[in-house]
Each structure stands twice: as structure tokens, then as C-alpha cells.
Amino acid sequence: MLASVLWVLIIGFFGGQLARRLGAPPLIGMILVGIILGPQVRNVISEDVLGAADELRTLAVMIILMKAGLGLDREKLAQQGSVALRLGFLPAAIEAIAIAFAAMVIFKFDFPIGLLLGCVIGAESPAVIVPGMLRLKSLGWGVTKGIPDAILTGSALSDVLLLLVFSLLLSFLGDGGIEQIVLPGGFTFTALQLLPLQIIMQIFLGVLLGYLAARLLVVVLTKQNWTQNIVQDTVIAASLALFLVIVAHDLPYFSGYLAAMAMGFFLIELDAPLARRLRGGFDSLWIVAEIFLFVLLGATIQLQVLEKILLPGILILAIGLLIGRMLGWYLSTLGSNWNWRERLFLLPGNSAKATVQAAIGAIPLSQGIAGGETILAIAALSILITAPLGAWSTMTFAPKLLTKGEVDPTKVTVSTRTLLLAAVDTSSLATEVLTKVADLARRSNGEAIILHVINTSSQQDIQQIKQQTKQLLSDIKYEFLTITGAVPEEIIRIAEEFHVTAIVMGKRGHQPWEQVLLGSVSQAVLETSHIPVILLENREYDTNSL
């Protein structure tokens, strides 16, 4: 089992990075690695790991939905009005119905089995859609109108709807009829009649439990201070989210995944600093979870059953997507402020299938339902086609179809690089500058540029600065530059060329002529630099930004 875990992690990681270097989404490489390592080809993944695939997928989906919740923007969702709510029901429902009718013609299914197939295929994949939408938010694409937020919310709600209908159809097809439910007072209803109430209850209780869980986290992690660092914060938050998901499996009265997403969302409202810390922690968890998720997805794909239904399966997917789902997208955005380009973006941004199909695709076959093998094959086909295509097309077409807006760093992780510029001379104050840069770089996990503008320095002086730099910044990634020219102009030019975060320099030297020179240099840099400048003097520093 440990060897299998090692294969999954190492080969899955490098398979994903190879795909990225070739210009494809990493998940393509991970899925291909899973197919190769799985029982269909090399069969090197142990039965224990394959047997735990469903549980590992559940854990991975919980992590990605917490990331989604921690990245939602309440103001943007309120601005969209009912668009997010409609995206949660109309596209998935209409796609499922379109697939049901198409399956009746192509595969000669009856309507319940066709709708069962529609529920399997119509569900959206949070494992593909959530990272894509959070990436768009971090880059600013579509954030002005809240398009990524609407897609994130709609994706979570649509899975609630289709999974409920799927469970209802399984009960009907397995028992030969729809169960009668007797309520107090002698009122009798079928499960189908109670479906709208079940959907409302699952959503309401999921959101409520997510809110209560968020408040509990704030009490435990912030007010009571039971943890000491971000790792412990993340472990407690992830454990609570996983607990909600597990309880929802045993008590199916609320959506555990929706509760996990809601918990992340409410954490932003209740304690934004805690939410920011957890966002970074779940980003780290996702790095490992993503590998397991997509490698095990590839390992569970049944290649031998794809050959028979390849062309009709592609036709079914095309009908569901290009007829059913596009009609749902049109109705969902009707009356909104989305233009035709933004509506068209829903085609690449909101159509990926993966995790839900892998989780429920084999259930009809295992329960002996007619057409179960075909349902499983089309579920596998939908993963192979739409997951890589959706991940690739989201990032490819977003710049062409969406408008770039201002990124809100309080709602999403923004990748920033801390790069410090240390401007040093040959005086003893260079030690202070290098020491401060090393300290700031360690605190921010940053890098440094050490700049010496040659004026009257000898080669021996420069070698001494290099040796001192190597000693003080031994654990910091840095680049040492020596140039000639006017000191203030060159400092600012290099800072702007490398897009540094801040300039660190000394305020004055020790010799009278150096006092004049460095005084004028620091004054000139302060007056002309648009980049923050940190001045050091006698082991103390001031920060000035112009």
C-alpha cells in the first residue's frame, strides 16, 4: 500500500508537471498516469488504495469546496441576484432531461433509466471547476460582474439537485416503485412529490450547519486560541469540514459538501484574518489532494467498455451540452447584465465532469439496473473528454471572453512574489542593509537582489561585499549585480526593471564625503521612486513610500 501511495504521488506529480510544460492542464497528465498505473494497464496500484478511492475522492472534494467557500464574494453574489441560483438548477436539470430523451432514442432506454444517465452526466465537477474559477478570480477575469462566484455557487447547488434525483431514481428502479411516505395527520406523499421539499431542506440545513461550524471555528481558533500556527488551524478546519461530509452520508438530510463550502464562505464574514490564513492552508492541502483525486480517477476508468459506445456516447454528451445545458445557460442569464461573450464563456467554464461521475457512475451497474454498463461507460467517457477540455478551455478563453477587473485579495489567494532590492556601498552600513534584507526575506519567504553601483570601488571592495552577502544571505535566494552609472538613477532603474517589492538602503556613511554622497543618494531615491523605500540608520529603519 505504501509503495502504491508513493507511485501515485511521485509519478502523478511529474505526470502533471509534464502536461503543464507541454501547455496542457496538469490534471490531464495525472489522469493518464492513473490509467497507466491502474488495473487496465500496469496494475501497480494495490487493491487497498483502489478500495479507498471513494473515501480519498471525498476528502479531496471536501478540500476543494472549502477552497471555493473561502474564495466566494458575498457582494458579487448579491449583485448577480438570481443568476447564481438559476445556474444551480436550470442547466443541470435541462441537460439531464435532454440526455434522457436522447438515450431513449439512441440506446432504447425507458425514461427513468435515461434520466438516471442524465443525472450522472449532468452533474458538474467541483474538482475541475473550482480551481479554474479561483484561478480566474486571482487574475481578475470576470470579477467585476462576479461571474466566477456565480459559477462556483451554481455548481455546488446543481450537484445537490442531481444527486437527490439520482438517489430517488435508484430507489424507484431497484424496488420497482416510488416509496410512499406517510406524514403525521395521515397525509401520504411519494418521494417524488417531496423532492422539492428535500432540495430546499438539503440546501437550508447545509447552509445553516456551515454557518454554525464557522462560528465554532472562530470560537476555537480565534477567541479561545487553542492553536498556535496555521498548520493546526488548517487541521482543525479540515477535520470539521470532513465531519460534516461524513455525517451527511449517514444522515442525508443536508448536503455535506454544501455545508463545507458554506463554512468557508461564512468564515470570511465572521473572521476575515482567519479565513485568509486558512485559505493558504487549504491551498497547500490541495497540492496533495489533487494528485490523489485525478490519478485515482484515471485508475477507475474502464477502458474496455468504452469501445462499444464511443460514437453514441460522444453524441449523447454533445446533445446534453450543446442543446440541454446551453438552453439552461441562456435561461439562467436572461435579464442579467452579462453580455453575449460572458454567456458564451459558460461553455468552457461550466461544463467539466469528473468527480461526481467517478463516484456514482458504477452504482447502477452494481445494483443490477438495466443499462448499468452503458451508464458506466458514458460516465468514464465524459471524464476523459470534458475534464481535460474544461480545464484547458477555461484558461484559454477567459482572456478572450471576459473583462479583466480589479482583484480582491481579501477573497482569494493572490500569488505575489516578494523581491527585495538591497542597495549597498562599501561602508560598514552595508552589513545593516544586508542583515535587514535577509530578515525581511525570511519573514516573507522572499528573494533578494543585491545591487552595488560601482563608483570608486576596487575589485577587492566588491569581493568583500560579495563574501559578506554570501555569509548573511546563505539561506536566501539572491542575485548579485554590479553596474556603473549614476547611483540614484541606477537603483531606481533596476528596481523598476525587476519589479521589486521594496528598496532597502543606508541613509548615510561614516566618512564626511560619504555622508554628503549617501545623503544625496537616499534623498534622490526617496523623491523619485514609486516603490517603497526602507532607510537604515544606526540599526533602526524608517519606511517611506512615494
Side-chain angles (χ1 to χ4, degrees):
M1 184 174 179
L2 289 177
S4 297
V5 171
L6 181 63
W7 282 115
V8 170
L9 282 175
I10 297 298
I11 302 183
F13 172 78
F14 283 107
Q17 293 307 303
L18 178 61
R20 181 184 62 81
R21 293 194 175 196
L22 294 174
L27 68 88
I28 294 179
M30 296 175 191
I31 291 175
L32 291 177
V33 165
I35 293 174
I36 295 170
L37 297 181
Q40 308 296 309
V41 183
R42 299 298 300 171
N43 195 26
V44 297
I45 302 179
S46 73
E47 292 294 330
D48 292 332
V49 174
L50 290 175
D54 287 341
E55 287 76 11
L56 292 172
R57 273 195 294 267
T58 298
L59 179 62
V61 173
M62 177 275 296
I63 291 171
I64 198 61
L65 285 175
M66 271 294 294
K67 275 172 58 68
L70 290 166
L72 286 177
D73 189 330
R74 177 177 56 83
E75 294 179 359
K76 292 295 188 297
L77 286 175
Q79 172 188 329
Q80 285 302 319
S82 64
V83 174
L85 189 61
R86 283 182 280 167
L87 280 174
F89 296 100
L90 293 178
I94 299 176
E95 181 183 12
I97 293 172
I99 289 175
F101 283 114
M104 293 173 67
V105 175
I106 297 173
F107 297 116
K108 308 302 179 185
F109 286 174
D110 55 27
F111 183 75
I113 294 180
L115 189 58
L116 189 70
L117 172 63
C119 290
V120 172
I121 304 304
E124 301 161 19
S125 172
V128 179
I129 292 175
V130 171
M133 293 306 106
L134 292 180
R135 176 67 174 157
L136 293 186
K137 284 170 67 71
S138 69
L139 296 173
W141 293 112
V143 296
T144 302
K145 294 184 180 179
I147 293 172
D149 292 282
I151 293 176
L152 284 172
T153 306
S155 176
L157 293 176
S158 68
D159 288 348
V160 173
L161 167 66
L162 291 186
L163 288 174
L164 278 174
V165 177
F166 177 80
S167 301
L168 176 63
L169 288 170
L170 278 181
S171 176
F172 169 70
L173 293 170
D175 300 335
I178 297 180
E179 181 183 357
Q180 298 279 333
I181 299 175
V182 180
L183 298 180
F187 297 101
T188 302
F189 295 92
T190 65
L192 181 61
Q193 291 171 326
L194 289 176
L195 181 62
L197 179 61
Q198 286 181 287
I199 293 173
I200 294 172
M201 182 177 67
Q202 288 241 344
I203 293 174
F204 174 76
L205 290 180
V207 172
L208 176 62
L209 289 174
Y211 172 75
L212 295 176
R215 292 199 68 90
L216 178 62
L217 272 183
V218 171
V219 171
V220 172
L221 303 184
T222 302
K223 296 182 178 180
Q224 298 295 327
N225 292 316
W226 281 87
T227 57
Q228 287 80 45
N229 53 57
I230 187 175
V231 176
Q232 294 176 343
D233 290 343
T234 305
V235 168
I236 297 301
S239 299
L240 183 55
L242 185 59
F243 174 76
L244 291 173
V245 173
I246 293 173
V247 170
H249 277 293
D250 297 330
L251 300 174
Y253 303 111
F254 69 96
S255 169
Y257 288 137
L258 185 60
M261 187 172 172
M263 182 171 73
F265 171 75
F266 286 118
L267 278 172
I268 301 175
E269 304 298 320
L270 295 172
D271 194 327
L274 174 61
R276 180 179 57 80
R277 296 200 306 273
L278 290 176
R279 196 177 295 129
F282 277 91
D283 285 343
S284 301
L285 285 180
W286 175 241
I287 293 173
V288 178
E290 180 185 31
I291 298 174
F292 274 101
L293 176 64
F294 290 114
V295 170
L296 292 178
L297 271 177
T300 55
I301 290 175
Q302 303 288 324
L303 296 179
Q304 69 271 18
V305 297
L306 291 178
E307 184 178 356
K308 302 178 187 176
I309 57 88
L310 182 61
L311 293 179
I314 292 175
L315 180 59
I316 284 282
L317 293 176
I319 291 172
L321 180 64
L322 300 178
I323 297 177
R325 187 164 280 271
M326 290 193 74
L327 176 59
W329 290 331
Y330 172 76
L331 296 175
S332 298
T333 56
L334 198 62
S336 71
N337 60 348
W338 294 27
N339 59 41
W340 70 269
R341 289 178 177 271
E342 291 161 343
R343 293 180 182 183
L344 185 60
F345 175 73
L346 288 168
L347 179 59
N350 190 229
S351 56
K353 327 284 184 183
T355 42
V356 177
Q357 288 71 25
I360 68 175
I363 294 178
L365 178 62
S366 66
Q367 294 194 3
I369 293 175
E373 184 174 311
T374 300
I375 293 174
L376 174 60
I378 298 178
L381 187 65
S382 70
I383 295 171
L384 286 176
I385 294 177
T386 65
L389 192 60
W392 168 79
S393 59
T394 294
M395 300 311 303
T396 300
F397 289 102
K400 298 177 175 63
L401 300 176
L402 301 179
T403 303
K404 193 167 188 177
E406 185 177 352
V407 179
D408 185 352
T410 67
K411 300 297 190 300
V412 68
T413 300
V414 180
S415 298
T416 57
R417 178 190 179 203
T418 300
L419 181 61
L420 302 168
L421 174 62
V424 295
D425 63 353
T426 57
S427 73
S428 60
L429 195 56
T431 303
E432 299 292 331
V433 173
L434 292 173
T435 301
K436 176 52 64 177
V437 165
D439 178 60
L440 293 174
R442 291 186 187 101
R443 292 174 184 270
S444 60
N445 195 27
E447 302 174 8
I449 294 175
I450 313 303
L451 175 65
H452 176 66
V453 182
I454 299 174
N455 195 337
T456 60
S457 308
S458 64
Q459 280 299 120
Q460 184 178 358
D461 292 332
I462 295 173
Q463 287 301 321
Q464 184 177 355
I465 298 173
K466 286 186 176 180
Q467 185 63 32
Q468 194 175 26
T469 301
K470 184 177 180 180
Q471 179 182 359
L472 294 175
L473 280 77
S474 60
D475 59 336
I476 305 298
K477 185 176 180 180
Y478 70 90
E479 182 177 357
F480 193 97
L481 299 179
T482 55
I483 57 176
T484 58
V487 180
E489 288 82 352
E490 291 302 318
I491 291 175
I492 294 173
R493 182 181 68 81
I494 293 297
E496 293 178 346
E497 179 181 334
F498 285 87
H499 304 287
V500 303
T501 308
I503 301 170
V504 184
M505 59 188 300
K507 188 173 182 180
R508 61 172 179 265
H510 294 288
Q511 301 300 324
W513 66 272
E514 288 178 331
Q515 292 181 18
V516 175
L517 175 63
L518 287 176
S520 62
V521 167
S522 61
Q523 186 66 29
V525 172
L526 283 171
E527 289 178 352
T528 56
S529 175
H530 297 286
I531 298 170
V533 179
I534 298 175
L535 295 181
L536 300 184
E537 178 185 15
N538 298 327
R539 298 184 180 275
E540 296 181 359
Y541 65 92
D542 299 314
T543 302
N544 298 275
S545 176
L546 295 177

